[in-house]
Amino acid sequence: MSTCKVKRTYGSKKSFLSRPHSLQLPSSPGSDDLAPSPKRKRPFQEQSNFFTRTDQPPLKKTKIVKENVTSEKNRSKQRKQIQLHFCIDQTVLRACSRCGLSYTKGAPDDEILHRTHCSRIEKGMEWGREEEREVIKTGVIEFARAIRLKDGRRGRIVYFQADANGKIGQKLTSLLETINLSLSSPALTQGILRDSKAYLFLVPSPTSPAREKIVGCVIAQRIETAMAIATPAECEQRDTPFKDGAVPLVAVDSSTGLFCHPKALSTPMGVSRLFVPSAQRRQGIAYHLLSAAAETFIHGCPLDPKKGQVAFTQPTSDGTAIMMKWGGGGVRIYEE
């Protein structure tokens, strides 16, 4: 039986790990030694420090910062809570003593509207160079100047068509918005403005000598008929039984005792708007404006309110007092 000799081509693990002392490389190899020295690996701590940059924060930390910024933005977008308290013994309806506007306290829209309106009333609207440039184009007529008021001031009255355009038309539109809000009246239609004239009382502005302040306004309208105001004696007898053919009175304002006869009478002019700011009242401004309107509304034909040629449309308590004093009891009432 023949045996085959196996030749070993590898070394044992023990011999690979532990070399003999004679086979170890010298400390300073010679020039004929071409075998490269084995490459030493860096420690794990050094490798991790090499790939890690110290000038940037870790990704996880950056993510946390983004989350914090996002949460702060969401927190800032949250609406503020509003507490609503109900007071049964107190009303939330307020009436401003400066502008006379009634508004709901606590309602944001009402309070913003009141602040804007009150600022307009207190500061007033001005007539300046922009309006003076369009006087001829718009057909503005000066009725009188140097009109003396009770406090010593002097002013003038101008009038023009109420459907005017341009700067003067824009000024009148803003003024009518303020007046309608103060009087709780509806806006005048374009048809009414077409048949109306606007009368403004202007006094010098205390802030600028080149500007004037609007302290009063009257809108005079062309009408056909109006109702005569009942006398106090007729108002007292309105509750008594009517005779045959008698017609009951029409109540215009029961709180002030204003009643009218229902019969329609021919009347050429009606006053649809009369407004003087509360700070400018008791100076005779309304009296001068009404007199100017009655004298110039129909060209060449002055009107006499005491003869029933002028009418008012559902006046307020203050308007009723002016109407009675200026018209001497002859002014009529018409429906707008």
Side-chain angles (χ1 to χ4, degrees):
M1 183 175 180
S2 62
T3 61
C4 181
K5 188 175 180 179
V6 179
K7 185 177 180 180
R8 299 180 63 180
T9 61
Y10 57 89
S12 63
K13 186 175 183 180
K14 182 177 181 182
S15 62
F16 178 75
L17 295 176
S18 60
R19 293 182 180 179
H21 182 71
S22 61
L23 297 178
Q24 291 181 357
L25 295 174
S27 59
S28 58
S31 61
D32 56 349
D33 189 3
L34 301 176
S37 60
K39 186 177 180 180
R40 296 180 61 188
K41 293 184 177 180
R42 294 185 178 183
F44 179 76
Q45 184 67 25
E46 293 182 7
Q47 293 182 12
S48 61
N49 292 338
F50 179 80
F51 290 103
T52 304
R53 297 179 62 180
T54 59
D55 57 340
Q56 293 183 354
L59 294 177
K60 188 174 182 181
K61 189 174 182 181
T62 306
K63 186 176 180 180
I64 294 174
V65 172
K66 289 183 179 180
E67 290 178 356
N68 293 337
V69 173
T70 305
S71 61
E72 290 179 1
K73 289 182 178 180
N74 294 335
R75 196 177 298 112
S76 62
K77 291 181 179 179
Q78 292 179 356
R79 296 182 177 180
K80 296 181 179 180
Q81 295 183 355
I82 300 176
Q83 294 183 354
L84 186 62
H85 300 273
F86 293 94
C87 298
I88 302 177
D89 57 338
Q90 296 181 359
T91 178
V92 295
L93 193 63
R94 297 287 186 270
C96 181
S97 59
R98 293 176 294 179
C99 65
L101 181 67
S102 298
Y103 65 99
T104 303
K105 186 179 180 180
D109 294 340
D110 276 23
E111 291 189 350
I112 293 174
L113 179 64
H114 168 249
R115 285 195 296 267
T116 304
H117 176 72
C118 196
S119 176
R120 280 186 179 182
I121 293 296
E122 288 185 337
K123 295 181 180 179
M125 301 188 69
E126 292 186 340
W127 182 279
R129 295 177 180 175
E130 299 83 1
E131 290 76 23
E132 285 295 329
R133 294 192 187 103
E134 298 184 359
V135 164
I136 299 177
K137 178 181 177 182
T138 310
V140 178
I141 301 174
E142 185 179 75
F143 170 73
R145 62 170 49 248
I147 302 174
R148 186 179 180 86
L149 299 178
K150 293 181 180 180
D151 60 356
R153 292 180 299 170
R154 295 182 180 272
R156 64 188 182 115
I157 294 178
V158 297
Y159 65 96
F160 51 90
Q161 287 295 131
D163 61 343
N165 297 320
K167 293 289 184 181
I168 295 178
Q170 295 176 4
K171 180 73 68 174
L172 181 61
T173 300
S174 301
L175 181 61
L176 286 178
E177 289 177 357
T178 305
I179 294 174
N180 293 333
L181 189 60
S182 300
L183 302 178
S184 300
S185 302
L188 297 176
T189 64
Q190 193 63 28
I192 294 177
L193 294 175
R194 194 180 304 113
D195 298 332
S196 302
K197 291 182 180 180
Y199 294 80
L200 304 180
F201 199 104
L202 309 176
V203 297
S205 175
T207 58
S208 175
R211 304 184 70 84
E212 294 174 295
K213 195 172 183 180
I214 303 174
V215 295
C217 175
V218 162
I219 304 296
Q221 176 188 353
R222 186 72 171 91
I223 62 174
E224 299 295 335
T225 60
M227 300 177 293
I229 298 176
T231 61
E234 292 173 337
C235 294
E236 292 177 359
Q237 298 176 1
R238 69 182 186 275
D239 296 331
T240 60
F242 293 98
K243 299 179 181 180
D244 295 339
V247 181
L249 300 178
V250 177
V252 178
D253 189 356
S254 57
S255 61
T256 58
L258 185 61
F259 294 85
C260 293
H261 295 282
K263 185 179 179 180
L265 303 174
S266 178
T267 309
M269 190 188 90
V271 179
S272 59
R273 297 292 183 271
L274 168 61
F275 181 75
V276 177
S278 57
Q280 306 292 339
R281 293 176 184 176
R282 307 294 186 271
Q283 303 297 325
I285 296 174
Y287 188 92
H288 289 295
L289 286 172
L290 291 172
S291 299
E295 186 175 343
T296 62
F297 182 73
I298 299 178
H299 181 69
C301 182
L303 302 176
D304 189 357
K306 297 180 181 180
K307 296 180 180 180
Q309 296 177 348
V310 179
F312 279 56
T313 172
Q314 299 178 354
T316 60
S317 57
D318 293 337
T320 302
I322 295 173
M323 177 183 65
M324 292 297 184
K325 183 179 180 180
W326 174 72
V331 177
R332 299 171 181 174
I333 299 294
Y334 78 100
E335 185 178 358
E336 187 177 314

